[in-house]
C-alpha cells in the first residue's frame, strides 16, 4: 500500500456533557473511494467537521496529516485551500442565484480590479458542468433545477476549487434511483481522474457498489476498516459493525391479521397549485384494510407526497376532486382538523420543515396535534401532557435525557419517533407514513418497523410511501405503484420483486410522457 | 422521573428567565445605591404609573412576537383610541364608561382590520402594521381636528390617577393595600402548593420542601415590602390592579390554553403547525385583534393619565413595547417568549429610565443606554443558544 493521502489519528472531540469522538483513526489511500458507515449520532458528521475545519484546530485533540504534512485548519477556507471540499447533506446553494453564480460563490472570477468577469465565469461554469455531465445553461437560476442536478452542481463547485479530497455527506439521501446512479457514476469517474472521495451513506447497497474500503464508526469510536473487495465484506457484516449486534432480520416478523376496509380513496385528482392545467395526481384509487400495511412505491416526482398531502386537509394542490371513505362512509378532509377527526394521520417526509417545531421540547411536539384530548374548554392539562409525553418516550424508546429536551437536539431517528408519537397520540384509524425511515440509521429503522407492526396489531391501517423497495417489500402486505400521478399496478408483497416494482414505476412514465 | 431538583438545576433549567431576573435585581440595587430616593414610596408608585401603558402593550406584543409577527402600529393606535375617548367624553359630554367602550371598540376594529390583512390576505405583519402606523396616526389627526383635547376630569381621570385607599383606614399607611397584597400572597402560596402536589401526583421533579418554603417566603417578603411602600405613599393604584389582572390572565392564556399553545406552535414552525391541525389563520387573526384590544386599554390609561388627548400621543411606544419583549427573552424568529419575561423586560426599561431621570442624566444618554441594553440582552440570548447547541 502507498502512503495514505489522509490520516486522522486519535481524534477526540467533546461537547459539553458528551464525548462525540474518542480516539478515532481514519486512514484514506490516494485515489480511493472510502465509505464511512455508522448509525446516526455515531460521530460521522462530527469527524468530517473536524477534518474540514468547521471545528477549528484546538477545539479537538489528535492530529490530521494530509499529504504527509500535519494540518491545523482554523476554518473551512483553510481546508479548501488544501483541496479538501465537503458537500453537506443539506445543499448549500442559493435558490435565486444562477448556476454560475453558485459555482463561484465566495471564489468569484475577477476581471479587471474588483469586478467580476461574467463572461469568464459563465464560460468556466459551462466547462465544469460538462465535466459533471450536465447540459444546463450557466445562467439558469438554481431553483429551476431538480435536487439531483443541484447535487451535481455542488460537485461542479467542488471541482472549481481544484478538489483533491471530496467529502460527500449522504449525497443520495434525497435522490431517486436514476439520479443516484448518475451521481455514483460521476464519483467513480472522478476517481479515474485521481480525486479521492470520502462517502458517508446509510445506503449499504450503494457502498457495496462503489467503495474500495469502508470504515465503520460506532458511538464515537472506530470499529474497523474493511476492504470491500474481500468476499466477507457483506452488507450484513457492515450492519453488524454499525449496531454492534447481529441483525439477522432487517424487518421484524409479523403475521398479518387483515380485517375490514378502513380507508378508500376514489378517483382522487389533484392539480398543481400554480401551474394551471398540470395534473399531479390522476384518478387515483386506493384502499387500506384494518391490520394491513399498504405501500405506495413511486419515484420522486411521481406524485406520492402530493397525493398524501392533498388527502390530508388539502395541504397541497388545487381543484382537488374525488371521494374519501372511512369504513364505507364518505368523510370530509377539507382541513387538517377534519382529516384528523376523520381518523387520518399523516407523518411527513420532511420532518424538519413540516413535522416538528425544532425549538420546542419533546413534550409539546408530541401533544401538538392531540391538544384536543389534553384539554377541556380550551385549557390544557399540563400534567397530563407531561405524563403522555413520558409514556411515549418510554414506549417508542426516544433517546433523550427527558421530555423537556428540544427536539432540534435529537438525532434523525429519535426525531422521527417524536413525529410518530405525535400522530399515534391522535389515535388515528389510518396512519400515512411518508418516507418514514429517510436519513435514519439501521437500528432506528428496525424500531420504526416495530412500531408500524404494533399499530397494525392494534387493528389500525398503515399506508407507507417509500422509494426504498426492500423496505416496502419487507414491511408491506400489498403495494401500489405510482408513476406520473397514476396508479400503475397493485401487487401483493409476497408475489412482488424489486424488478417488478421498478418496471411498473418507470414504464408507464414513458408511455404517458 | 420523580425526584427532587436542587438549587443549581432550578437556576440553570431556564437560564434566560433567571438571567433576566438577576439583571433586574442588580439594576434596582445599583440605582438604590446611586440614589437614595429611588426606592422611596413616592417613586415606586411613580414607576408603576409612568410605565403601565408600555407594560400593557408589551403583554399583547409578546404574543404577536411569539406568533412570529410584529406590530408597529400600537403607538398610533394608543393615540387614536385616546382621541376617540376624548371626543366622546370631553366634546360629546358622555359618561366615562361610554368613552371607554368607544375606545375599546375602535381598538378591536383596528386590530381586526390588521388581523384580516395578516391572516387572510397573507401580507407580512411588518408591512400591514407599518401601514397601520401611518393610517391610525392620520385618523387621530382627523378625529382630533389636529388639536389637543383636555381635560377629562371626573371618573375617567381616576382610571390612571386614582388609588384605592382609606377603605379600611390606617395609621399613616393604607391598611386596605396591605390586606389586598396579603390575600394575593396567600393565593400565590396556595396555588404553588397545589401545583406542587399535582406535579408529585404525576411523578415529576420538584424542589425540596425547605427550598420550596424559602422560595415562597422570599417572594412573599418582596411583595409585602412593595405593598408596604405603596401603602406609605398614596395606596393601591387602580392601574396596578388592572395590570395585575391582565398579566395573570394573559400568562395563563399563553401557557395553559390551547389558543396560547397554537401561537407558540405557529411561531416555532408554521408548516408543522398547519399540518398538526392548527387553524393558523384564525389564530393569527385573533392575535392581531387582541393587540388592538390591548392598545385600546393602553390608550385609555395613557389619555387618562395625561388627562387629555394629543395628536402626537403614543409616539414610539411600539418600540418600547417591542424592546421589552426582546429584553424579556422573546425570539426574533418567533416561537419563544413569555408574558412574565416581557414584563420584567419592560420593568428593566422603566427602572432604568426612572433611575437615570432621578440622577439628572441627559435624555440623549438615556437613549444610548437603553439601546445598548437591548442589544446586550439579545446578544446574551444568542450566546446562550450557541452554547446550548440549539442555534444553527
Amino acid at each position: 500500500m502507498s502512503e495514505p493521502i489522509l490520516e486522522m489519528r486519535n481524534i477526540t472531540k467533546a461537547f459539553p456533557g458528551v464525548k462525540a469522538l474518542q480516539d478515532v483513526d481514519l486512514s484514506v489511500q490516494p485515489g480511493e473511494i472510502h465509505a464511512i458507515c455508522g448509525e446516526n449520532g455515531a460521530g460521522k458528521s462530527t469527524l468530517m467537521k473536524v477534518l474540514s475545519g468547521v471545528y477549528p484546530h484546538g477545539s479537538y485533540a489528535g492530529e490530521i496529516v494530509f499529504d504527509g504534512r500535519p494540518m491545523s485548519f482554523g476554518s473551512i477556507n483553510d481546508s479548501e485551500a488544501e483541496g479538501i471540499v465537503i458537500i453537506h447533506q443539506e445543499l448549500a446553494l442559493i435558490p435565486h442565484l444562477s448556476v454560475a453564480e453558485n459555482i463561484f460563490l465566495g471564489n468569484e472570477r475577477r476581471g479587471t480590479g474588483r469586478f467580476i468577469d461574467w463572461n469568464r465565469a459563465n464560460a468556466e461554469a459551462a466547462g465544469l458542468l460538462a465535466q459533471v455531465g450536465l447540459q444546463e445553461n450557466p445562467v439558469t437560476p438554481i431553483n429551476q433545477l431538480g435536487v439531483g442536478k443541484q447535487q451535481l452542481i455542488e460537485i461542479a463547485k467542488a471541482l472549481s476549487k481544484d478538489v483533491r479530497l471530496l467529502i460527500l455527506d449522504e449525497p443520495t439521501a434525497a435522490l431517486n434511483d436514476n439520479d443516484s446512479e448518475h451521481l455514483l457514476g460521476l464519483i467513480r469517474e472522478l476517481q479515474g481522474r485521481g480525486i479521492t472521495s470520502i462517502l458517508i451513506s446509510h445506503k449499504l447497497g450503494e457502498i457495496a457498489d462503489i467503495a474500495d474500503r469502508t470504515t465503520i464508526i460506532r458511538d464515537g469510536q472506530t470499529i474497523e476498516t474493511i476492504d470491500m473487495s474481500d468476499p466477507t465484506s457483506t452488507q450484513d457484516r457492515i450492519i453488524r459493525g454499525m449496531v454492534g449486534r447481529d441483525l439477522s432480520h432487517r424487518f421484524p416478523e409479523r403475521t398479518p391479521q387483515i380485517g375490514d376496509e378502513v380507508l378508500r380513496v376514489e378517483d382522487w385528482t389533484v392539480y398543481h397549485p400554480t401551474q394551471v392545467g398540470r395534473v399531479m395526481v390522476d384518478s387515483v384509487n386506493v384502499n387500506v384494510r384494518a391490520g394491513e400495511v399498504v405501500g405506495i412505491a413511486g419515484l420522486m416526482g411521481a406524485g406520492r407526497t402530493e397525493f398524501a398531502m392533498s388527502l390530508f386537509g388539502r395541504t397541497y394542490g388545487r381543484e382537488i376532486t374525488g371521494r374519501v371513505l372511512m369504513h364505507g362512509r364518505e368523510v370530509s378532509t377539507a382541513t387538517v382538523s377534519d382529516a384528523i377527526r376523520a381518523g387520518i394521520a399523516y407523518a411527513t417526509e420532511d420532518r424538519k420543515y413540516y413535522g416538528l417545531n425544532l425549538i420546542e421540547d419533546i413534550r409539546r411536539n408530541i401533544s401538538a396535534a392531540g391538544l384536543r384530548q389534553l384539554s377541556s374548554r380550551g385549557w390544557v392539562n399540563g400534567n397530563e401532557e407531561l405524563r403522555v409525553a413520558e409514556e411515549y418516550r418510554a414506549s417508542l424508546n426516544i433517546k433523550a435525557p427527558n421530555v423537556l429536551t428540544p427536539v432540534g437536539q435529537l438525532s434523525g431517528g429519535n426525531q422521527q419517533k417524536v413525529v410518530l408519537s405525535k400522530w399515534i397520540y391522535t389515535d388515528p384509524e389510518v396512519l400515512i407514513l411518508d418516507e418514514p425511515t429517510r436519513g435514519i440509521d439501521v437500528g432506528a429503522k428496525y424500531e420504526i418497523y416495530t412500531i408500524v407492526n404494533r399499530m397494525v396489531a392494534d387493528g389500525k391501517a398503515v399506508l407507507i410511501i417509500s422509494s426504498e423497495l426492500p423496505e416496502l417489500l419487507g414491511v408491506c402486505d400489498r403495494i401500489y405503484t405510482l408513476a406520473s400521478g397514476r396508479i400503475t399496478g397493485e401487487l401483493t408483497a409476497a408475489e412482488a420483486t424489486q424488478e417488478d416494482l421498478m418496471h411498473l414505476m418507470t414504464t408507464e412514465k414513458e408511455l404517458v410522457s | 422521573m420523580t425526584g427532587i431538583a436542587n438549587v443549581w438545576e432550578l437556576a440553570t433549567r431556564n437560564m434566560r428567565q433567571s438571567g433576566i431576573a438577576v439583571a433586574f435585581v442588580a439594576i434596582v440595587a445599583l440605582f438604590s445605591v446611586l440614589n437614595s430616593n429611588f426606592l422611596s414610596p413616592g417613586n415606586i408608585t411613580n414607576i408603576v404609573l409612568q410605565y403601565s401603558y408600555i407594560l400593557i402593550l408589551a403583554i399583547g406584543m409578546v404574543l404577536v412576537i411569539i406568533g412570529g409577527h410584529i406590530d408597529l402600529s400600537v403607538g398610533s393606535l394608543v393615540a387614536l383610541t385616546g382621541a376617540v375617548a376624548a371626543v366622546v367624553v370631553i366634546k360629546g359630554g358622555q359618561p366615562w364608561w361610554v368613552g371607554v367602550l368607544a375606545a375599546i371598540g375602535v381598538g378591536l376594529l383596528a386590530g381586526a382590520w390588521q388581523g384580516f390583512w395578516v391572516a387572510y390576505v397573507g401580507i407580512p405583519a411588518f408591512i400591514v402594521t407599518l401601514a397601520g402606523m401611518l393610517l391610525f396616526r392620520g385618523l387621530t389627526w382627523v378625529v382630533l381636528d389636529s388639536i389637543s383635547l383636555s381635560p377629562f376630569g371626573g371618573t375617567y381621570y381616576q382610571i390612571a390617577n386614582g388609588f384605592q385607599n382609606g377603605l379600611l383606614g390606617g395609621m399613616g399607611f393604607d391598611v386596605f393595600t396591605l390586606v389586598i397584597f396579603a390575600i394575593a400572597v396567600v393565593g400565590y402560596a396556595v396555588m404553588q402548593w397545589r401545583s406542587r402536589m399535582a406535579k408529585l401526583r404525576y411523578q415529576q421533579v420538584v424542589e425540596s420542601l425547605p427550598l420550596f418554603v424559602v422560595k415562597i417566603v422570599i417572594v412573599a417578603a418582596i411583595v409585602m415590602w412593595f405593598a408596604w411602600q405603596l401603602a406609605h405613599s398614596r395606596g393601591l393604584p387602580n392601574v396596578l390592579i388592572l395590570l395585575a389582572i391582565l398579566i395573570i390572565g394573559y400568562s395563563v392564556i399563553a401557557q395553559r390554553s390551547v389558543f396560547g399553545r397554537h401561537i407558540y406552535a405557529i411561531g416555532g414552525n408554521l408548516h408543522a403547525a398547519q399540518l398538526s391541525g392548527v387553524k393558523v389563520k384564525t389564530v393569527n387573526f385573533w392575535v392581531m385583534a387582541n393587540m388592538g384590544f390591548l392598545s385600546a386599554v393602553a390608550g385609555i390609561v395613557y389619555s387618562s393619565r395625561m388627562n387629555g388627548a394629543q395628536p402626537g400621543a403614543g409616539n414610539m411606544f411600539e418600540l418600547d413595547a417591542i424592546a421589552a419583549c426582546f429584553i424579556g427573552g422573546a425570539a426574533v424568529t418567533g416561537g419563544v417568549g413569555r408574558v412574565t419575561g416581557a414584563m420584567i423586560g419592560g420593568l428593566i426599561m422603566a427602572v432604568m429610565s426612572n433611575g437615570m431621570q432621578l440622577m439628572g442624566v441627559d435624555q440623549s444618554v438615556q437613549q444610548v443606554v437603553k439601546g445598548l441594553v437591548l442589544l446586550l440582552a439579545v446578544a446574551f440570548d444568542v450566546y446562550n443558544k450557541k452554547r446550548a447547541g440549539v442555534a444553527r
Side-chain angles (χ1 to χ4, degrees):
Chain A
M1 257 189 200
S2 52
E3 270 298 294
I5 185 170
L6 170 75
E7 262 205 281
M8 300 178 80
R9 293 195 204 109
N10 299 327
I11 304 288
T12 300
K13 166 83 187 165
F15 294 107
V18 230
K19 212 157 215 183
L21 297 174
Q22 179 142 35
D23 291 323
V24 171
D25 294 317
L26 177 67
S27 166
V28 180
Q29 292 293 319
E32 78 170 335
I33 296 174
H34 195 111
I36 297 184
C37 282
E39 288 191 311
N40 276 354
K44 299 162 300 189
S45 295
T46 312
L47 185 66
M48 291 305 111
K49 283 179 178 167
V50 166
L51 173 57
S52 57
V54 173
Y55 299 132
H57 182 75
S59 70
Y60 59 89
E63 53 177 348
I64 301 174
V65 178
F66 185 63
D67 224 5
R69 288 171 295 136
M71 293 289 152
S72 48
F73 300 132
S75 72
I76 270 213
N77 293 349
D78 294 351
S79 62
E80 285 189 354
E82 292 290 339
I84 301 177
V85 179
I86 181 162
I87 296 178
H88 291 282
Q89 196 174 345
E90 274 108 27
L91 297 178
L93 297 170
I94 320 262
H96 293 285
L97 293 187
S98 75
V99 170
E101 283 171 312
N102 268 292
I103 289 180
F104 296 118
L105 190 66
N107 189 18
E108 284 78 5
R109 291 298 182 251
R110 300 252 176 91
T112 45
R114 308 202 135 267
F115 299 100
I116 297 175
D117 182 346
W118 284 115
N119 291 328
R120 185 179 153 210
N122 288 335
E124 280 186 36
L128 290 165
L129 290 177
Q131 287 186 40
V132 297
L134 276 181
Q135 278 135 17
E136 299 297 327
N137 189 335
V139 298
T140 314
I142 283 286
N143 55 6
Q144 292 184 8
L145 305 179
V147 199
K149 287 181 176 172
Q150 292 190 11
Q151 189 70 257
L152 295 176
I153 282 164
E154 282 274 19
I155 293 181
K157 188 174 170 182
L159 291 176
S160 79
K161 293 171 184 161
D162 297 323
V163 60
R164 298 180 59 210
L165 176 61
L166 183 65
I167 305 164
L168 299 126
D169 192 352
E170 303 231 24
T172 59
L175 303 190
N176 62 32
D177 287 359
N178 280 336
D179 286 346
S180 299
E181 206 133 298
H182 186 98
L183 182 80
L184 297 175
L186 180 65
I187 295 172
R188 230 179 257 130
E189 209 180 297
L190 294 177
Q191 182 182 29
R193 290 200 260 150
I195 294 173
T196 313
S197 299
I198 294 179
L199 176 72
I200 297 179
S201 181
H202 283 133
K203 298 188 179 168
L204 300 181
E206 189 172 292
I207 289 173
D209 277 354
I210 190 175
D212 299 313
R213 289 195 303 155
T214 300
T215 296
I216 299 165
I217 294 180
R218 184 173 78 221
D219 302 330
Q221 288 173 310
T222 312
I223 301 303
E224 59 177 344
T225 297
I226 54 177
D227 196 325
M228 297 305 288
S229 58
D230 189 330
T232 62
S233 301
T234 58
Q235 293 192 27
D236 284 344
R237 170 152 177 214
I238 297 175
I239 292 175
R240 214 158 43 231
M242 282 165 64
V243 299
R245 60 184 176 273
D246 220 330
L247 272 187
S248 49
H249 303 288
R250 277 162 71 185
F251 303 100
E253 287 291 328
R254 172 170 64 91
T255 320
Q257 293 197 315
I258 295 173
D260 296 335
E261 179 182 281
V262 179
L263 170 75
R264 170 180 285 276
V265 181
E266 290 179 349
D267 295 324
W268 199 252
T269 300
V270 180
Y271 284 84
H272 192 276
T274 52
Q275 298 171 18
V276 180
R278 183 169 168 203
V279 183
M280 298 307 289
V281 178
D282 193 359
S283 317
V284 163
N285 288 286
V286 294
N287 68 73
V288 192
R289 289 169 290 180
E292 187 182 33
V293 183
V294 174
I296 295 185
L299 295 171
M300 211 164 259
R304 312 165 305 180
T305 300
E306 290 80 358
F307 168 68
M309 285 184 70
S310 61
L311 188 66
F312 192 64
R314 316 214 159 170
T315 42
Y316 174 88
R318 56 194 298 174
E319 294 179 54
I320 299 166
T321 50
R323 303 202 317 148
V324 184
L325 296 95
M326 292 290 289
H327 300 290
R329 241 178 321 165
E330 185 164 2
V331 293
S332 162
T333 62
T335 68
V336 174
S337 338
D338 286 347
I340 294 174
R341 214 169 299 130
I344 302 173
Y346 169 67
T348 160
E349 62 170 342
D350 191 342
R351 54 181 169 263
K352 287 186 178 169
Y353 191 73
Y354 282 120
L356 294 168
N357 181 353
L358 294 173
I359 56 175
E360 195 58 272
D361 55 32
I362 294 175
R363 164 190 56 166
R364 292 196 171 173
N365 270 288
I366 290 181
S367 67
L371 281 180
R372 211 153 35 96
Q373 287 134 276
L374 282 172
S375 58
S376 65
R377 285 197 226 111
W379 299 103
V380 181
N381 182 345
N383 289 311
E384 178 67 12
E385 182 182 31
L386 203 57
R387 188 195 63 73
V388 168
E390 276 296 345
E391 181 188 313
Y392 278 93
R393 182 175 78 99
S395 71
L396 268 65
N397 194 20
I398 298 168
K399 292 186 195 90
N402 57 55
V403 293
L404 303 182
T405 310
V407 291
Q409 293 177 6
L410 304 181
S411 70
N414 285 311
Q415 287 183 349
Q416 187 67 12
K417 291 183 208 162
V418 174
V419 174
L420 288 181
S421 304
K422 166 167 122 178
W423 289 114
I424 294 173
Y425 182 61
T426 65
D427 195 24
E429 301 280 317
V430 183
L431 181 61
I432 304 173
L433 303 173
D434 197 348
E435 297 281 1
T437 62
R438 168 177 295 172
I440 70 179
D441 58 70
V442 175
K445 277 184 184 178
Y446 192 87
E447 289 183 86
I448 303 272
Y449 302 142
T450 313
I451 294 164
V452 168
N453 284 357
R454 233 191 289 161
M455 291 285 295
V456 288
D458 286 347
K460 314 283 185 195
V462 176
L463 191 62
I464 295 187
I465 296 170
S466 177
S467 51
E468 281 187 46
L469 298 181
E471 170 172 293
L472 287 175
L473 291 169
V475 236
C476 296
D477 301 310
R478 194 152 57 87
I479 302 171
Y480 290 101
T481 54
L482 192 68
S484 299
R486 286 187 185 183
I487 296 288
T488 55
E490 180 184 348
L491 303 167
T492 61
E495 66 183 11
T497 64
Q498 292 195 49
E499 288 75 22
D500 295 341
L501 290 173
M502 190 48 83
H503 188 69
L504 287 165
M505 285 155 66
T506 49
T507 50
E508 185 70 9
K509 200 172 186 176
E510 282 151 22
L511 267 176
V512 171
S513 65
Chain B
M1 268 298 288
T2 181
I4 306 288
N6 63 31
V7 186
W8 182 243
E9 268 175 31
L10 283 176
T12 50
R13 193 188 300 166
N14 204 336
M15 261 299 280
R16 191 58 175 81
Q17 292 286 319
S18 36
I20 205 71
V22 169
F24 177 62
V25 172
I27 290 168
V28 169
L30 177 72
F31 279 116
S32 59
V33 170
L34 290 175
N35 191 309
S36 54
N37 273 336
F38 181 71
L39 286 183
S40 70
N43 194 45
I44 286 181
T45 308
N46 250 339
I47 294 178
V48 171
L49 294 182
Q50 244 174 42
Y51 292 94
S52 52
Y53 36 88
I54 297 292
L55 295 181
I56 293 171
L57 290 176
I59 293 173
M61 190 65 77
V62 78
L63 298 182
V64 170
I65 288 175
I66 291 168
H69 311 289
I70 197 87
D71 192 336
L72 302 174
S73 70
V74 296
S76 297
L77 198 48
V78 162
L80 178 60
T81 50
V84 167
V87 167
V88 169
V89 175
I90 299 174
K91 260 194 186 167
Q94 299 292 325
W96 67 277
W97 55 268
V98 179
V100 167
L101 286 181
I104 288 180
V106 168
L108 269 174
L109 209 62
W113 159 262
Q114 302 200 119
F116 165 75
W117 291 103
V118 170
Y120 295 102
V121 186
I123 300 174
F126 186 91
I127 304 296
V128 170
T129 60
L130 186 61
M133 183 180 175
L134 303 170
L135 196 65
F136 302 145
R137 182 63 67 188
L139 288 177
T140 309
W141 282 332
V142 171
V143 169
L144 286 178
D145 242 343
S146 304
I147 49 161
S148 299
L149 274 184
S150 68
F152 277 106
T155 312
Y156 194 94
Y157 175 77
Q158 293 300 319
I159 295 172
N161 299 285
F163 294 84
Q164 298 298 324
N165 69 357
L167 291 175
L168 295 172
M171 300 133 275
F173 57 89
D174 182 37
V175 176
F176 176 73
T177 305
L178 292 181
V179 169
I180 289 290
F181 272 88
I183 291 172
V185 165
V186 171
Y188 170 76
V190 170
M191 293 276 287
Q192 288 289 313
W193 180 254
R194 284 181 52 183
S195 149
R196 182 187 165 87
M197 286 297 115
K199 279 185 179 168
L200 283 175
R201 248 198 326 280
Y202 279 93
Q203 309 191 327
Q204 295 169 32
V205 181
V206 293
E207 60 268 62
S208 66
L209 192 59
L211 194 64
F212 176 79
V213 172
V214 167
K215 189 179 91 182
I216 299 278
V217 168
I218 290 177
V219 169
I222 293 173
V223 170
M224 288 317 289
W225 173 85
F226 181 68
W228 181 254
Q229 297 295 320
L230 286 178
H232 275 75
S233 181
R234 286 173 282 175
L236 185 60
N238 290 335
V239 171
L240 190 62
I241 301 175
L242 175 68
L243 201 52
I245 293 172
L246 290 177
I247 293 173
I248 294 171
Y250 277 95
S251 291
V252 175
I253 288 174
Q255 295 308 315
R256 304 212 23 217
S257 77
V258 172
F259 176 68
R261 283 309 176 71
H262 284 173
I263 303 175
Y264 280 93
I266 289 172
N269 184 345
L270 175 65
H271 306 284
Q274 216 151 17
L275 275 180
S276 298
V278 174
K279 295 197 166 63
V280 174
K281 287 177 182 169
T282 316
V283 173
N284 280 341
F285 176 83
W286 284 109
V287 166
M288 297 307 288
N290 175 62
M291 186 72 249
F293 166 72
L294 285 175
S295 300
V297 174
I300 292 164
V301 170
Y302 184 70
S303 58
S304 159
R305 179 164 169 77
M306 293 293 134
N307 200 17
Q310 303 87 31
N315 200 18
M316 306 278 270
F317 279 12
E318 58 276 350
L319 300 186
D320 279 342
I322 292 168
C325 297
F326 288 137
I327 292 176
V332 187
T333 45
V336 180
R338 274 167 174 270
V339 172
T340 46
M343 293 303 98
I344 295 178
L347 282 174
I348 285 181
M349 304 253 293
V351 162
M352 283 195 325
S353 295
N354 176 278
M356 288 189 287
Q357 270 165 26
L358 281 187
M359 291 168 61
V361 176
D362 199 69
Q363 187 75 30
S364 54
V365 178
Q366 290 188 29
Q367 293 280 344
V368 171
V369 172
K370 275 164 131 184
L372 288 176
V373 165
L374 172 62
L375 198 59
L376 286 177
V378 178
F380 179 71
D381 237 10
V382 171
Y383 167 77
N384 262 339
K385 275 184 195 148
K386 268 202 189 131
R387 235 183 29 162
V390 192
R392 286 173 298 144

